[in-house]
């Protein structure tokens, strides 16, 4: 599309498009800049994540144990879970200062945000409805155009007036009950 958008609208559009194609889908969303070196460990983590979200109405984000302080990513503090699989997120801090990143790293209580998510489609749509209601309504009102010859024009129109907000700022920081796994060996 010849319109600059942020990830908030881009992910919402992808989820409404997927709703048209497969309303019961389980979704993995991962940024293109992750490098996974331990494929076996990552695959096991993804299988556990998929199984977990199929049983729980949550957004799940994968975290990794930081190797050093980093100001370019977010940090997740979590509460230990009884089942040993999913952990409720206690705090999400985005791109801390160097001093705060050092503190978070030294505490050992935080995982680095990887940007990789797993969720059921209905869970992410619920999150958008609650955290970014204007964006959700804009797509909902134009949902009938998805999969038709009018889709491109309608979506360009929606993109032209929705707020330019990232997924991280619009959903993650506003929607508190996503979960996190422990480290799985990813480097960004």
């Amino acid at each position: 599309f010849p319109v600059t958008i942020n990830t908030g609208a881009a992910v919402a559009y992808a989820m409404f498009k997927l709703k048209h194609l497969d309303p019961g889908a389980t979704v993995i969303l991962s940024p293109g800049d992750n490098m996974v070196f331990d494929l076996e460990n990552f695959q096991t983590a993804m299988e556990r994540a998929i199984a977990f979200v199929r049983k729980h109405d949550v957004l799940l984000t994968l975290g990794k144990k930081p190797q050093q302080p980093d100001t370019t990513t977010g940090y997740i503090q979590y509460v230990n879970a009884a089942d040993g699989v999913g952990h409720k997120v206690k705090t999400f801090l985005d791109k801390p200062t160097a001093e705060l990143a050092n503190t978070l790293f030294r505490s050992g209580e935080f995982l680095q945000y990887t940007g990789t998510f797993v969720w059921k489609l209905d869970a992410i749509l619920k999150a958008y409805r609650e955290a970014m209601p204007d964006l959700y309504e804009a797509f909902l009102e134009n949902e009938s155009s998805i999969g038709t010859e009018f889709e491109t024009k309608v979506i360009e129109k929606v993109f032209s007036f929705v707020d330019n907000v990232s997924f991280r700022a619009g959903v993650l920081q506003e929607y508190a009950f996503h979960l996190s796994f422990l480290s799985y060996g990813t480097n960004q």
Side-chain angles (χ1 to χ4, degrees):
F1 295 111
V3 177
T4 301
I5 60 167
N6 210 319
T7 54
V11 171
Y13 172 49
M15 296 305 101
F16 272 91
K17 179 90 173 173
L18 186 56
K19 181 181 174 189
H20 175 75
L21 300 171
D22 184 0
T26 299
V27 179
I28 298 171
L29 178 74
S30 188
D33 61 350
N34 275 357
M35 291 181 64
V36 178
F37 295 101
D38 184 350
L39 293 177
E40 186 176 320
N41 194 10
F42 179 75
Q43 182 175 354
T44 299
M46 295 308 297
E47 289 168 355
R48 291 172 64 200
I50 290 166
F52 189 82
V53 301
R54 286 184 174 161
K55 293 178 185 172
H56 301 87
D57 186 27
V58 298
L59 308 183
L60 189 137
T61 183
L62 299 182
K64 72 178 188 94
K65 186 173 181 166
Q67 302 301 306
Q68 62 189 22
D70 189 347
T71 61
T72 65
T73 189
Y75 284 80
I76 302 164
Q77 184 180 35
Y78 60 92
V79 178
N80 284 326
D83 63 10
V85 178
H87 303 280
K88 184 164 178 43
V89 172
K90 181 177 180 181
T91 308
F92 175 78
L93 300 167
D94 197 19
K95 299 181 182 178
T97 64
E99 182 179 343
L100 183 55
N102 279 320
T103 300
L104 301 175
F105 174 72
R106 284 194 314 272
S107 78
E109 296 179 14
F110 289 81
L111 298 175
Q112 282 181 322
Y113 164 80
T114 65
T116 299
F117 292 90
V118 182
W119 53 58
K120 289 187 296 193
L121 186 58
D122 57 344
I124 187 62
L125 292 175
K126 178 181 177 185
Y128 268 102
R129 185 176 65 241
E130 294 178 11
M132 299 182 77
D134 292 342
L135 179 63
Y136 176 84
E137 288 299 324
F139 280 105
L140 188 64
E141 289 171 9
N142 293 285
E143 185 176 13
S144 64
S145 69
I146 295 176
T148 72
E149 71 242 33
F150 306 108
E151 179 176 357
T152 300
K153 288 237 182 265
V154 170
I155 297 304
E156 284 176 351
K157 183 182 87 171
V158 170
F159 284 166
S160 72
F161 70 80
V162 297
D163 292 334
N164 188 20
V165 177
S166 72
F167 175 76
R168 208 186 309 203
V171 176
L172 289 191
Q173 292 183 347
E174 297 298 322
Y175 200 71
F177 75 81
H178 60 285
L179 301 180
S180 174
F181 275 175
L182 295 176
S183 173
Y184 63 94
T186 288
N187 291 327
Q188 290 186 339

